[in-house]
Amino acid sequence: MNQLVILALTGLIGFVLFAFAQRAELDRSYEQRALAIAQTTAADPQIQQAMEYRGGGYVVQAVAERMRRSSGASYVVVIDLRGVRRSHPIHALIGEPVDEPIVVRDGRPHVGTDQGATGRSANAKAP
């Protein structure tokens, strides 16, 4: 009986460790996909031009929505360096500032996974 208990505990521990490893790998995969979407959006000439001249909000929203649909992403949000949303799936938030600091000021992309209002999501920010 002791051997069965030890075997069951060992199997359970192994399964839990495997599940954590798989979840971490899945998170990394989705973070990289989010990063590709963010970098593609940030490199779009229409978005770059609109952001450079601080106008064209409708252009930014239209391009971001096109990127979202074509990539299958849940959302694409474009934020300028002043922290103002230039596109957002909730139209009332366009033109509103974000609460968190703008991390891409360092010129590097950033990825992460967090628990949001819609559940667990992979996020990426690209300069």
Side-chain angles (χ1 to χ4, degrees):
M1 189 63 144
N2 286 340
Q3 289 176 340
L4 287 176
V5 169
I6 291 172
L7 184 59
L9 281 174
T10 304
L12 180 64
I13 291 170
F15 175 76
V16 168
L17 291 175
F18 177 75
F20 278 123
Q22 286 299 104
R23 182 170 188 146
E25 181 60 34
L26 191 59
D27 285 349
R28 279 191 296 278
S29 175
Y30 278 111
E31 286 170 356
Q32 291 307 305
R33 181 175 176 208
L35 180 58
I37 294 166
Q39 289 175 323
T40 300
T41 303
D44 186 275
Q46 289 179 305
I47 287 185
Q48 287 182 347
Q49 185 177 16
M51 298 298 276
E52 183 177 343
Y53 296 109
R54 294 185 183 184
Y58 66 93
V59 172
V60 175
Q61 178 67 15
V63 173
E65 182 59 19
R66 186 184 77 226
M67 294 285 186
R68 184 198 65 75
R69 280 192 314 271
S70 67
S71 67
S74 297
Y75 58 87
V76 173
V77 177
V78 177
I79 301 169
D80 66 20
L81 289 176
R82 294 178 296 145
V84 177
R85 294 176 183 98
R86 296 297 171 198
S87 77
H88 197 279
I90 301 171
H91 292 279
L93 293 177
I94 297 172
E96 296 295 318
V98 295
D99 296 330
E100 65 268 4
I102 308 302
V103 295
V104 295
R105 287 179 193 251
D106 64 5
R108 297 181 325 201
H110 295 264
V111 296
T113 304
D114 59 19
Q115 189 69 31
T118 59
R120 189 168 177 81
S121 66
N123 302 294
K125 298 170 179 89

